[in-house]
Amino acid sequence: MLLRRAVQEDPESAGKCGQGLWSVVSETSPPRQPSSVSVDLQGDSTLQVEISDAVSERDKVKFTVQTKSCLPHFAQTEFSVVRQHEEFIWLHDAYVENEEYAGLIIPPAPPRPDFEASREKLQKLGEGDSSITREEFAKMKQELEAEYLALFKKTVAMHEVFLQRLAAHPTLRRDHNFFVFLEYGQDLSVRGKNRKELLGGFLRNIVKSADEALITSMSGLKEVDDFFEHERTFLLEYHTRIRDACLRADRVMHSHKCLADDFIPISAALNSLGTQEVNQLKTSFLKLAELFERLRKLEGRVASDEDLKLSDMLRYYMRDSQAAKDLLYRRLRALADYENANKALDKARTRNREVRTAESHQQLCCQRFERLSDSAKQELMDFKSRRVSSFRKNLIELAELELKHAKASTLLLRNTLIALKGEP
Amino acid sequence: MAAEREPPPLGDAKPTDFEELEDGEDLFTSTVSTLESSPSSPEPASFNAEDVSTNSNGPKPAAVVLDDDREDLFAEATEEVSLDSPEREPILSSEPSPAVTPVTPTTIIAPRIESKSMSAPVIFDRSREEIEEEANGDVFDIEIGVSDPEKVGDGMNAYMAYRVTTKTSLSMFSKSEFSVKRRFSDFLGLHSKLASKYLHVGYIVPPAPEKSIVGMTKVKVGKEDSSSTEFVEKRRAALERYLQRTVKHPTLLQDPDLRQFLESSELPRAVNTQALSGAGILRMVNKAADAVNKMTIKMNESDAWFEEKQQQFENLDQQLRKLHASVEALVCHRKELSANTAAFAKSAAMLGNSEDHTALSRALSQLAEVEEKIDQLHQEQAFADFYMFSELLSDYIRLIAAVKGVFDHRMKCWQKWEDAQITLLKKRETEAKMMVANKPDKIQQAKNEIREEIEEWEAKVQQGERDFEQISKTIRKEVGRFEKERVKDFKTVIIKYLESLVQTQQQLIKYWEAFLPEAKAIA
């Protein structure tokens, strides 16, 4: 799959950042590196979704979603639309609120594209620090631009994975809203949540956790299934720990980046020293300057690989495990409803009033609960196998990349040592 | 022949006196060339002049080179010589024989004991064989180690005592291996003595490590945490480097104060080294006064070499400071990386514990172990970053300050000479006026007085000129030696540092190679 992405900046903001710091960078990336979360689309040609293009504008990102499908539902076999982040969130929420999918793990929504930090850094660089040389400035700018680009690629990947998981799921892919999202040429007129809605969402979460706590403490609510009992305890602990691991992996990555950035002024100072010297140290310093420059690039790659293979993976499964937890909550809610319906039925029977309604209600709750349980079981097992294979793939790739970089560093260092020892 | 020759008294010799010694030149001319190829460290300072003259752009008459050889022999002073005393005691250390071949006569010169300001004449009497031994082998066969810091005493009067171990085959020491206990102020005292004797005549005396009130207070108070152990280790390493640099200096090595420091079990406490003592305050005042004076001295530089070198050192200083700041940031970030890696390792272990898929759980635990080992690696690398790279740079920043100081002393010397010349001129004018005026009765006495004064100042002017030339020559040699040392130092440390980086990478390879099959084993 070839992806083409263009990174463009508004001419207005170019002026803001001064001196045309933002250049039009058009990039044809090589066959895409599989993201840290892979969705197996092999053998499924009925619906293929990808983000073929993305443009970053001042405060929003526009994704071009391309669909290839032979499903009769669609008007064409190949078509594209342009979507923004809010529309993805709308789609996600639509799934979550849909009762039909209560028994499924809803793929976690992609995080909001946030380039603020990166932009600020570039702006600060642009404002200029006169103590750094032109070369240093160019290198730092290069670093920041690479960082921005990496961030951009990541956000595209996150949005894409979200869609691809939906497309791969036998039930979720048939959702009407999904079709609309993929096909409807116009803007979906979905505005971002305003403050009230955000607050509402926040409150809903609180209510949900309170409810959950209430349900679990409800007497008489016995978990009948060992499987779910185990899953609950497992997921609760797992989610907390993976969140922890993700945060700390982020910090490690950040430290690596700082280290790589430190090599820039070191290399520059060594260069100046080398050019000034008149004795044998001249070549030594210059070689050392070059070494640090190369080490910087290697260290930078270590940082970004750790980011992709470790941090991102942990982050994704943190979100996914949250989605699994949400599923468990919904099932528990259904169980509680079922229990309540049972109690109501008993009451109705003793009072011999509205037994029919109570009976049918109880039936419904029972069916719902059982349906949820069944699908939840399947979903959770899928979650496990997905998780295991993803971790496996990423850990292997991480180890291989670390080895590659360490070997490259060793070679570089050895060559420099030979050169330095060789001279008188 | 050499043994019977009497050294000319430096005090009142006129420049022409040195011409007499030209016959001794031959002794050195041949050896100068042979020494070019000998290892850098054991050369007596004189031969560096040759190197310097080829490197510098300033014109240097050949005769001066040879005069240097002679003068160096007389330059050793073991007594406190104040700036004002024109006499410098020619205490002679026998230099190691300059020639590699044993045939060249050695320069054993009996020291002449001047009655004036000498209190402890030290006679270096060395046999021919010893000198040849040293000349043939590694002349600076002296190794200094500073180790075993231990806290002595309690509370605010506590201090750290360090063991200073010397291993040497030099005969000037009574034993070949010995150690003493010294505290930090002893080192400062040593430096202060050496500086007062040698700095103002142009020798680059290595600076002692810096005081740190905060650091020491922590140690005194008895905080047994990692920051105070780090502080003590940093200081120990710095003291070791300081002594190593000092003994590498051929002139300073001969100094009896240094020997006493290394050898004697009891050392008089150096009280004037405290920052807030009377002497300390006087030092600060003098430093300030010096700084002001430096700004007002306008020297007519006749020798472009000095201007060039000063500029060079100025640039070097700036660049080293920049590099040092960047390396300090590197050390800091690497330490952060180490801490963050350790934290991640713990959380990975926890995650592995929660994971219910057995193979994945095991792999995650393995990952945690790998990360823990990597954290150790980062810590060690941070130490290497610091102790090799960063400390080397900070040492040289302070060394260059000493070099600048020596150049400043030369300026002061010049100023003194200038002032003497001006005063002489004034006196001559006064005399001339007296000649013209005609008052016979008073005049004779005044004339005699002024005549005396004029003679006195003429002598001062000559002395000033000699001093100035002397300090200029010494500086040239010193700078040459310093640069050689610097090149060697940097090269050695750079290589060592790079090797430490290679070590780290190789360990990383080992760890990840061990982990890879574990990751692949996840089924």
Side-chain angles (χ1 to χ4, degrees):
Chain A
M1 299 190 280
L2 257 174
L3 276 175
R4 190 174 42 85
R5 297 192 195 93
V7 180
Q8 289 166 334
E9 189 71 2
D10 251 352
E12 303 153 61
S13 48
K16 227 176 37 175
C17 294
Q19 297 153 16
L21 262 180
W22 295 102
S23 48
V24 175
V25 172
S26 156
E27 181 201 316
T28 310
S29 65
R32 194 164 66 106
Q33 249 190 2
S35 74
S36 56
V37 185
S38 61
V39 183
D40 191 7
L41 295 176
Q42 280 163 5
D44 191 354
S45 59
T46 49
L47 182 62
Q48 273 185 333
V49 182
E50 71 178 27
I51 295 184
S52 59
D53 204 357
V55 170
S56 163
E57 283 172 18
R58 192 178 351 166
D59 57 353
K60 52 185 179 250
V61 182
K62 294 206 169 119
F63 303 95
T64 305
V65 180
Q66 189 182 56
T67 314
K68 289 192 186 125
S69 172
C70 50
L71 284 178
H73 171 90
F74 295 113
Q76 300 161 291
T77 46
E78 227 179 279
F79 49 91
S80 301
V81 293
V82 177
R83 292 285 173 245
Q84 288 184 35
H85 174 73
E86 287 76 22
E87 293 165 300
F88 285 77
I89 299 301
W90 166 83
L91 183 62
H92 175 260
D93 289 349
Y95 274 108
V96 167
E97 285 156 17
N98 193 331
E99 167 58 33
E100 259 190 66
Y101 308 129
L104 306 173
I105 295 181
I106 312 292
R112 197 178 71 88
D114 183 13
F115 301 109
E116 262 323 296
S118 201
R119 256 197 216 116
E120 255 177 44
K121 277 196 236 172
L122 260 162
Q123 196 156 15
K124 248 169 69 173
L125 186 66
E127 273 154 24
D129 179 9
S130 55
S131 71
I132 56 178
T133 63
R134 273 186 64 177
E135 281 146 8
E136 271 181 83
F137 177 81
K139 281 190 200 150
M140 284 164 81
K141 178 161 163 242
Q142 204 182 61
E143 274 302 309
L144 286 176
E145 281 176 352
E147 202 180 287
Y148 182 88
L149 198 65
L151 213 62
F152 183 73
K153 281 189 189 166
K154 258 204 258 183
T155 196
V156 170
M158 292 280 106
H159 285 76
E160 192 175 65
V161 155
F162 170 68
L163 293 177
Q164 287 177 337
R165 260 185 77 182
L166 291 171
H169 196 286
T171 318
L172 296 173
R173 79 210 307 229
R174 290 192 253 122
D175 185 75
H176 174 73
N177 288 322
F178 190 41
F179 291 156
V180 168
F181 179 93
L182 291 174
E183 206 181 12
Y184 186 59
Q186 306 286 350
D187 191 355
L188 290 174
S189 305
V190 169
R191 55 173 172 71
K193 295 189 179 142
N194 61 23
R195 207 187 285 157
K196 205 160 96 178
E197 283 163 344
L198 280 172
L199 195 62
F202 180 59
L203 284 174
R204 254 199 301 277
N205 276 334
I206 296 186
V207 167
K208 198 172 82 181
S209 10
D211 192 28
E212 196 171 351
L214 217 66
I215 299 174
T216 49
S217 64
M218 233 170 85
S219 59
L221 187 68
K222 274 181 294 237
E223 181 53 77
V224 294
D225 198 336
D226 273 345
F227 174 82
F228 286 103
E229 185 59 42
H230 166 81
E231 282 296 309
R232 226 184 116 249
T233 26
F234 162 70
L235 271 176
L236 273 173
E237 196 183 59
Y238 189 80
H239 176 76
T240 329
R241 290 187 177 180
I242 200 172
R243 187 179 51 205
D244 231 11
C246 176
L247 279 169
R248 292 181 183 186
D250 276 344
R251 285 205 207 118
V252 171
M253 196 271 302
H254 178 74
S255 290
H256 264 300
K257 262 235 97 222
C258 283
L259 208 66
D261 285 343
D262 282 339
F263 289 149
I264 297 179
I266 290 180
S267 180
L270 284 167
N271 229 322
S272 312
L273 274 169
T275 34
Q276 279 174 17
E277 288 281 2
V278 292
N279 53 29
Q280 300 121 298
L281 281 181
K282 189 186 193 74
T283 32
S284 303
F285 281 142
L286 289 174
K287 286 213 173 80
L288 209 59
E290 201 186 305
L291 171 72
F292 274 104
E293 174 55 25
R294 299 235 190 106
L295 282 179
R296 170 180 81 92
K297 298 222 170 89
L298 277 171
E299 193 72 35
R301 270 181 228 137
V302 168
S304 71
D305 286 338
E306 278 185 3
D307 189 25
L308 278 174
K309 302 296 166 194
L310 208 50
S311 296
D312 277 356
M313 172 186 75
L314 292 171
R315 204 183 335 268
Y316 191 81
Y317 280 98
M318 174 182 79
R319 296 206 190 101
D320 219 9
S321 57
Q322 181 61 48
K325 271 170 71 182
D326 290 344
L327 170 63
L328 282 182
Y329 163 72
R330 290 194 290 270
R331 178 184 162 277
L332 209 61
R333 180 79 254 166
L335 179 60
D337 290 341
Y338 180 35
E339 285 284 309
N340 288 338
N342 273 336
K343 289 197 190 129
L345 183 59
D346 286 343
K347 235 204 237 168
R349 281 196 178 133
T350 48
R351 276 190 268 148
N352 211 348
R353 266 174 51 182
E354 297 175 353
V355 174
R356 238 338 90 80
T357 24
E359 260 179 7
S360 59
H361 177 66
Q362 191 255 26
Q363 274 273 355
L364 267 160
C365 284
C366 177
Q367 277 166 357
R368 184 164 174 270
F369 171 67
E370 278 170 6
R371 177 174 62 91
L372 275 183
S373 287
D374 286 337
S375 81
K377 203 171 217 163
Q378 186 57 48
E379 286 284 302
L380 287 168
M381 295 201 297
D382 284 346
F383 170 64
K384 181 166 173 168
S385 62
R386 218 179 29 239
R387 185 175 80 238
V388 171
S389 77
S390 185
F391 267 69
R392 177 178 191 277
K393 177 167 159 291
N394 283 300
L395 287 176
I396 291 176
E397 283 175 4
L398 175 71
E400 286 174 347
L401 284 166
E402 294 270 4
L403 275 171
K404 180 171 142 208
H405 297 317
K407 286 181 181 159
S409 297
T410 308
L411 191 63
L412 185 62
L413 286 164
R414 282 227 172 97
N415 286 342
T416 313
L417 268 171
I418 290 172
L420 285 176
K421 283 182 184 166
E423 49 185 66
Chain B
M1 166 178 91
E4 283 120 35
R5 203 181 332 119
E6 227 186 52
L10 209 60
D12 30 47
K14 298 195 181 56
T16 50
D17 273 1
F18 290 107
E19 302 307 312
E20 294 165 358
L21 299 166
E22 292 303 309
D23 61 340
E25 266 178 63
D26 296 336
L27 195 77
F28 295 96
T29 356
S30 54
T31 56
V32 164
S33 45
T34 47
L35 208 74
E36 291 294 311
S37 49
S38 71
S40 45
S41 31
E43 293 151 0
S46 51
F47 293 97
N48 286 342
E50 186 80 338
D51 296 337
V52 169
S53 57
T54 49
N55 287 342
S56 74
N57 291 338
K60 203 160 173 359
V64 180
V65 178
L66 302 164
D67 278 348
D68 290 348
D69 310 338
R70 177 67 56 245
E71 284 185 59
D72 241 5
L73 298 172
F74 311 144
E76 315 311 339
T78 57
E79 192 51 29
E80 298 250 327
V81 180
S82 67
L83 264 172
D84 295 322
S85 113
E87 244 101 11
R88 257 180 311 184
E89 302 319 313
I91 294 306
L92 308 163
S93 66
S94 37
E95 310 251 80
S97 164
V100 180
T101 59
V103 187
T104 317
T106 56
T107 57
I108 304 168
I109 300 164
R112 236 194 64 173
I113 302 167
E114 282 289 326
S115 51
K116 288 216 178 159
S117 24
M118 272 285 301
S119 56
V122 183
I123 299 164
F124 293 90
D125 209 20
R126 299 166 72 190
S127 68
R128 177 190 282 234
E129 297 95 75
E130 277 180 348
I131 294 163
E132 279 162 18
E133 252 175 60
E134 288 170 8
N136 289 337
D138 214 340
V139 175
F140 279 121
D141 187 4
I142 175 164
E143 264 175 54
I144 310 266
V146 175
S147 58
D148 305 323
E150 64 176 356
K151 189 165 157 198
V152 176
D154 259 322
M156 286 314 282
N157 290 326
Y159 62 90
M160 291 305 271
Y162 302 88
R163 176 174 298 283
V164 178
T165 312
T166 315
K167 291 193 192 134
T168 177
S169 66
L170 293 176
S171 62
M172 69 166 106
F173 294 102
S174 47
K175 288 183 268 185
S176 63
E177 195 170 325
F178 47 90
S179 74
V180 290
K181 281 276 198 186
R182 294 282 178 257
R183 55 184 291 187
F184 186 67
S185 53
D186 293 336
F187 288 82
L188 294 181
L190 172 68
H191 173 258
S192 153
K193 286 193 196 135
L194 293 176
S196 62
K197 281 192 245 175
Y198 296 99
L199 259 184
H200 69 271
V201 287
Y203 289 96
I204 301 173
V205 178
E210 281 172 349
K211 282 195 256 237
S212 163
I213 298 178
V214 174
M216 261 332 273
T217 314
K218 271 202 215 162
V219 173
K220 286 188 212 241
V221 163
K223 273 185 86 177
E224 285 290 325
D225 67 352
S226 63
S227 70
S228 49
T229 32
E230 257 186 61
F231 171 77
V232 171
E233 172 54 29
K234 180 177 166 186
R235 180 164 273 194
R236 182 210 64 79
L239 290 172
E240 192 173 82
R241 289 193 309 270
Y242 163 65
L243 281 182
Q244 283 168 341
R245 285 212 175 89
T246 309
V247 298
K248 270 204 208 131
H249 195 299
T251 312
L252 296 179
L253 181 57
Q254 313 290 355
D255 187 283
D257 276 324
L258 178 59
R259 240 186 344 139
Q260 189 189 38
F261 179 89
L262 292 174
E263 276 187 320
S264 33
S265 46
E266 284 299 316
L267 206 63
R269 176 90 195 275
V271 289
N272 288 337
T273 58
Q274 283 166 324
L276 296 176
S277 68
I281 297 196
L282 189 63
R283 259 198 303 278
M284 284 194 281
V285 170
N286 282 338
K287 261 197 193 155
D290 280 350
V292 173
N293 280 339
K294 194 164 88 163
M295 291 192 280
T296 56
I297 294 178
K298 275 283 169 211
M299 183 169 154
N300 299 333
E301 189 56 79
S302 55
D303 195 342
W305 184 91
F306 285 93
E307 223 171 276
E308 204 183 283
K309 281 293 167 188
Q310 270 186 290
Q311 189 55 48
Q312 225 180 295
F313 281 116
E314 191 56 44
N315 294 342
L316 188 61
D317 184 42
Q318 268 182 10
Q319 287 307 325
L320 284 180
R321 276 177 203 271
K322 256 202 201 166
L323 184 59
H324 182 243
S326 315
V327 173
E328 283 199 311
L330 180 74
V331 172
C332 181
H333 285 137
R334 219 190 274 278
K335 284 192 184 157
E336 255 178 47
L337 178 62
S338 160
N340 288 337
T341 309
F344 174 69
K346 288 203 187 90
S347 61
M350 300 267 278
L351 188 64
N353 282 343
S354 319
E355 176 59 62
D356 63 351
H357 185 273
T358 21
L360 180 55
S361 167
R362 190 173 51 237
L364 284 170
S365 308
Q366 293 285 29
L367 180 69
E369 263 181 50
V370 167
E371 292 287 339
E372 225 180 271
K373 290 194 202 140
I374 291 179
D375 145 48
Q376 256 316 103
L377 220 56
H378 285 312
Q379 252 187 10
E380 283 162 17
Q381 186 59 59
F383 281 144
D385 288 344
F386 180 72
Y387 283 105
M388 287 189 222
F389 207 177
S390 178
E391 287 284 79
L392 172 76
L393 295 171
S394 69
D395 279 354
Y396 268 90
I397 290 172
R398 282 178 310 120
L399 272 166
I400 288 179
V403 173
K404 285 200 220 174
V406 144
F407 277 97
D408 290 344
H409 276 296
R410 178 175 169 269
M411 277 215 286
K412 281 204 273 207
C413 191
W414 181 86
Q415 187 68 58
K416 215 171 131 221
W417 180 28
E418 259 305 283
D419 290 345
Q421 285 181 313
I422 290 171
T423 317
L424 179 63
L425 206 65
K426 285 199 190 127
K427 300 285 179 197
R428 285 200 172 129
E429 280 174 1
T430 319
E431 189 189 40
K433 280 195 199 139
M434 278 191 185
M435 297 297 202
V436 173
N438 240 322
K439 287 194 194 133
D441 41 322
K442 283 196 194 156
I443 258 185
Q444 201 46 45
Q445 192 198 28
K447 263 194 189 171
N448 289 339
E449 265 178 35
I450 205 108
R451 227 337 66 203
E452 266 173 38
E453 281 179 14
I454 287 181
E455 277 172 18
E456 184 192 326
W457 281 98
E458 274 176 352
K460 283 196 185 164
V461 165
Q462 281 166 358
Q463 183 59 42
E465 182 175 9
R466 264 200 304 276
D467 286 346
F468 181 70
E469 277 172 18
Q470 177 62 32
I471 197 176
S472 300
K473 284 167 199 163
T474 310
I475 291 180
R476 284 190 123 108
K477 266 177 268 161
E478 282 289 286
V479 165
R481 194 189 63 87
F482 177 80
E483 286 290 86
K484 268 212 165 84
E485 276 301 313
R486 181 166 77 90
V487 168
K488 220 168 52 141
D489 240 349
F490 269 81
K491 281 195 128 173
T492 320
V493 170
I494 287 174
I495 287 177
K496 240 175 45 170
Y497 178 62
L498 290 186
E499 284 174 349
S500 83
L501 289 175
V502 173
Q503 245 316 55
T504 303
Q505 292 300 322
Q506 287 184 312
Q507 285 291 84
L508 275 176
I509 290 176
K510 235 176 60 177
Y511 296 150
W512 286 110
E513 275 181 345
F515 175 72
L516 194 54
E518 291 290 330
K520 289 188 170 156
I522 303 172

